Amino acid sequence: MSKIVIALGGNALGNTPTEQKKAVEVTAKSIVDLAEENELIISHGNGPQVGMINLAMDMYLQARDDMDGMPFAECGAMSQGYIGYHLQNAIENELSKRNLDKMVISIISEVLVDKDDKAFENPSKPIGSFYSLEESQQIAQKYGFTFKEDAGRGYRRVVPSPRPVDILQKRAIKDLYNAGALVIAGGGGGIPVVKEEGKLRGVDAVIDKDFTAAKLASLVGADLLIILTAVDKVAIHFGQENEEWISKMSVAEAEKYLADGEFKEGSMKPKIEAALSFVNAKDGNKVLITSLDKAIDGLKGLTGTYIG
Ligand code: ADP
Ligand code: MG
C-alpha cells in the first residue's frame, strides 16, 4: 500500500455544474480503483468553478452598485464546498456499488501564504468579468483592485498567485486519513490566508493547485504525488515536430528542461515545479504525471511521466 496524494486537473471536473456532475462519475471510478490498492488523499483544481462563482457574485454586486460584498477567498471556499460535495457524492456511490465501506470527507482548507511573497507585488492571475478601460479604472479607484488587459478581450481584475506555506487543517486531514477516511483537501489550491498580528485573514489571491497538492503530499508524508491532467505524459518540444514524450525525468533533467522553457506557464510549468518541490522534500519521493484514465497503468509503470 502506497500513500498517495492525487491532484485532479480541470478535465476531472468539467466546466459547468452539469458537466461536472457527469465528469465526477468517471473520476470517481478511477479514484476508487486507486483507493482499492492504495491510501489516498485527493486534491483538485477549481479554475472554472471559482470563476463562475466570482462572476455570479460580480453580477449580483453590480446590480447593487457595490463591489465590496463577496471577497475572492469566500468564492474559493464556496467552490471547495460545491466541488467537494460532487466528489464525495460520486465516490460514495462508486464505493457502495462495489460494496466497499469507507468514510469520504472533504475539508474546507485554508492555506497559509507569506504576506511578503513576491507574488503580491505582481498580481498575475485574471479573475471575474471583463470591463472596458473606463469601467476598470472606476472600479480600481473605488475598491483598490488591480486590472490588466487580457488577450485583447478587455480589462480583467488580476490577483496574486503566492506559494503555499502551510495547510492549516493538516491535523484534521491526517487524523481522518489515519482513521481510514478518503479525504478531499486543499481544493483549488486552498483558501489563501495570511497571518497578521496573530490573526489569520483571507486574502484575494489564487494558489496554484499543483503547488498545494505537493505541499499536502509533504505534510501527510506521502511517497507519491500523482498529478492527473489532460495528457498521458509530459513532452519536450511540446506541440512541435520533434515532440518527444518522456517516461522518466531525473531532478537534474527536469531542472534543465524548465530552464530551457519546455513547459508552458500556467499549465505544465507549475506541475513540474511542484513536482520538484515534492521530490526534493524527502528522499524517495516520486511524482507521476498522467491522465485520469491512465492512472492505474501509470502506477504499474506502463505509461505516464515519473519524476524523481
Ligand atoms: P490541469 O487542469 O490538469 O492543471 P492544465 O491545462 O493546466 O491542466 O495543464 C495541462 C496541459 O498542459 C496539457 O493539456 C497540455 O496541453 C499542456 N502542456 C504544456 N506544456 C506541455 C508539455 N511540455 N508536455 C505536456 N503537456 C503540456
Ligand atoms: Mg492547471
Side-chain angles (χ1 to χ4, degrees):
M1 278 247 185
S2 295
K3 196 168 183 176
I4 302 176
V5 169
I6 292 183
L8 296 172
N11 65 329
L13 301 170
N15 289 307
T16 65
T18 319
E19 253 179 58
Q20 181 167 301
K21 197 87 185 129
K22 272 216 182 101
V24 291
E25 282 183 27
V26 181
T27 303
K29 286 201 179 83
S30 296
I31 288 175
V32 176
D33 283 347
L34 289 168
E36 289 207 46
E37 306 282 336
N38 304 279
E39 296 176 358
L40 293 191
I41 293 180
I42 300 158
S43 188
H44 59 82
N46 76 343
Q49 294 81 3
V50 76
M52 178 186 74
I53 293 166
N54 186 243
L55 274 176
M57 290 299 159
D58 270 7
M59 286 165 80
Y60 168 69
L61 296 168
Q62 274 173 39
R64 298 175 40 194
D65 193 25
D66 173 10
M67 291 291 285
D68 209 18
M70 191 59 73
F72 195 68
E74 273 75 346
C75 294
M78 288 185 210
S79 78
Q80 283 187 354
Y82 147 61
I83 297 168
Y85 149 58
H86 270 186
L87 281 172
Q88 275 176 206
N89 182 267
I91 294 168
E92 278 157 357
N93 285 338
E94 188 63 33
L95 287 168
S96 84
K97 205 164 58 190
R98 302 189 197 187
N99 282 319
L100 295 171
D101 180 29
K102 208 168 171 57
M103 283 191 280
V104 187
I105 176 94
S106 26
I107 300 199
I108 302 298
S109 310
E110 292 161 90
V111 173
L112 185 70
V113 298
D114 181 354
K115 64 180 179 350
D116 298 321
D117 192 306
K118 287 267 177 292
F120 286 106
E121 288 161 27
N122 180 30
S124 59
K125 197 102 186 161
I127 57 163
S129 315
F130 291 88
Y131 295 94
S132 70
L133 177 61
E134 296 72 41
E135 286 169 327
S136 74
Q137 284 169 340
Q138 276 168 13
I139 299 170
Q141 208 183 19
K142 198 162 170 194
Y143 300 104
F145 296 169
T146 307
F147 283 83
K148 276 186 188 159
E149 214 275 331
D150 189 352
R153 296 175 294 179
Y155 288 79
R156 258 178 120 188
R157 186 177 170 202
V158 284
V159 296
S161 189
R163 295 289 166 98
V165 174
D166 196 12
I167 299 174
L168 295 167
Q169 285 70 31
K170 65 185 173 201
R171 242 187 76 195
I173 294 168
K174 279 192 216 167
D175 286 356
L176 285 161
Y177 168 84
N178 288 330
L182 230 169
V183 182
I184 302 162
I191 304 158
V193 298
V194 294
K195 198 161 197 176
E196 271 171 350
E197 289 157 18
K199 252 189 169 174
L200 296 165
R201 175 175 66 81
V203 288
D204 291 343
V206 175
I207 308 170
D208 196 295
K209 72 112 182 18
D210 298 312
F211 287 111
T212 299
K215 177 61 73 182
L216 184 61
S218 284
L219 289 175
V220 300
D223 344 279
L224 180 66
L225 166 65
I226 307 184
I227 301 180
L228 295 174
T229 186
V231 285
D232 293 351
K233 289 187 181 194
V234 179
I236 52 166
H237 315 306
F238 179 68
Q240 288 164 263
E241 237 166 63
N242 56 346
E243 180 177 75
E244 193 187 325
W245 298 100
I246 306 290
S247 302
K248 215 173 165 343
M249 261 187 241
S250 66
V251 167
E253 283 165 334
E255 278 168 352
K256 183 186 177 294
Y257 295 146
L258 267 176
D260 292 346
E262 291 286 355
F263 312 119
K264 255 203 231 136
E265 294 279 348
S267 60
M268 192 49 76
K269 190 177 171 193
K271 294 187 201 314
I272 305 292
E273 288 176 334
L276 286 174
S277 75
F278 177 62
V279 169
N280 288 327
K282 189 176 96 248
D283 266 1
N285 280 356
K286 290 204 180 316
V287 176
L288 167 65
I289 301 179
T290 191
S291 60
L292 190 63
D293 52 327
K294 295 285 164 61
I296 292 281
D297 280 352
L299 260 185
K300 291 182 191 153
L302 301 173
T303 186
T305 304
Y306 274 90
I307 303 169

